[in-house]
Amino acid sequence: MKKNRVEEDIYILAIESSCDETAAAVVKNGRQVLSNVISSQIALHTIYGGVVPEIASRKHIEKINQVIEAALAEASLELKDIDAIAVTYGPGLVGALLVGVAEAKAIAYGAGKPLVGVHHIEGHVSANFIEHPDLEPPFVCLIVSGGHTHLVVVKDYGEYEILGRTRDDAAGEAFDKVARAVGLGYPGGPKVDRAAREGNPRTITFPRAKVEGAPYDFSFSGLKSAVLNHINHAKMMGETIHVPDLAASFQCAVVDVLVSHTVEAAKELGYGRVAIAGGVASNSALRAKMKENCEKAGLAFYYPSPIFCTDNAAMIGVAGYYEYINGVCSGWDLNAVPNLKLGER
Ligand code: KG4
Ligand code: ZN
């Protein structure tokens, strides 16, 4: 029997398997996370220095049922209590996505529940709704993850205007590459963040790239090359590299550009609220500088807790909820779309 959407509670079971986390969550009424179970494969991929797609898919297959069972148990619910199954269908690693999509389809079909395909990046943006009941669109959002760097206006739930994007490397990718170059290992972002706390960001002046004619676009490949050149030069001269100073100087260059573009966009376009999303949004320097500059500019600043910044299924449940209540559901032909663009269905 169909529930009355206004008066009754709506429970979404969400599944996320786009990269190296096998995750499931139960979200009530779009903003209340009843469970958020994440099985991380980081230790498995660390020895290879990055995510190995085939290993990721195999691990998802092994873990996914346990993770879903745990998410339902933690929420003290059974499948029959769930209103819809939400699943990330792109972008991401195709084999990894397929595990979640096939699982979600099987559960939805078997239990006679609606299926909602969710855009992974929309999930990241939606993570902001979990801990901020007052946050409603429109707002400016900076999305910074391992594969994406986008500056957008969230015009409404599921409706985005892209203001800028990276022309080359994603912010997280730059963190990961620099970490590898100085021997910090994988995943690089959190390790650079930690090392930078002991360093001086003014030791080395790295470039802050601007893209000609596109004030809200980003470019990090020049910065990455400058860091690699610095390391090579130091090696040639027989100098030792002070990793904390290098990490702090690199991080400061990334953060300066991310913050200035975001705050400028909000001011120029007249939006009073700014949010950040994606794995790099858990970076301590980015959070601190964005907070400071938003305060100076009189903008309200929203950011998710670190656990909701990196990949998780709760954020997919939130995005899935808004699709579901707007009547957007997927067919049984839902497939993984590894290169799904923001705003595409
Ligand atoms: O959103 P996410 O978990 O996965 C993708 O959708 O890509 O983001 C992962 C990225 C990685 O590049 C990782 O190094 C970066 O987020 N990251 C960080 C931090 N924590 C994770 N980057 C900078 N500082 C952090 N504290
Ligand atoms: Zn992600």
Side-chain angles (χ1 to χ4, degrees), residues 224-247:
K224 179 191 67 192
S225 302
V227 174
L228 297 180
N229 288 342
H230 181 90
I231 295 168
N232 289 337
H233 182 75
K235 276 185 188 156
M236 264 166 36
M237 305 302 283
E239 295 164 3
T240 44
I241 295 155
H242 189 261
V243 173
D245 282 347
L246 184 132

Side-chain angles (χ1 to χ4, degrees), residues 16 18-19 91 120-121 124 145-148 278-279 309-312 315:
E16 155 65 41
S18 66
C19 191
H120 181 76
I121 302 300
H124 274 303
S145 73
H148 298 265
C309 286
T310 43
D311 288 349
N312 66 86
M315 66 184 196

Side-chain angles (χ1 to χ4, degrees), residues 120 124 145-147 172-173 175-176 188-190 193 278-280 282-283 309-311:
H120 181 76
H124 274 303
S145 73
E173 203 178 341
F175 269 95
D176 293 336
D193 191 348
V280 183
S282 57
N283 182 269
C309 286
T310 43
D311 288 349

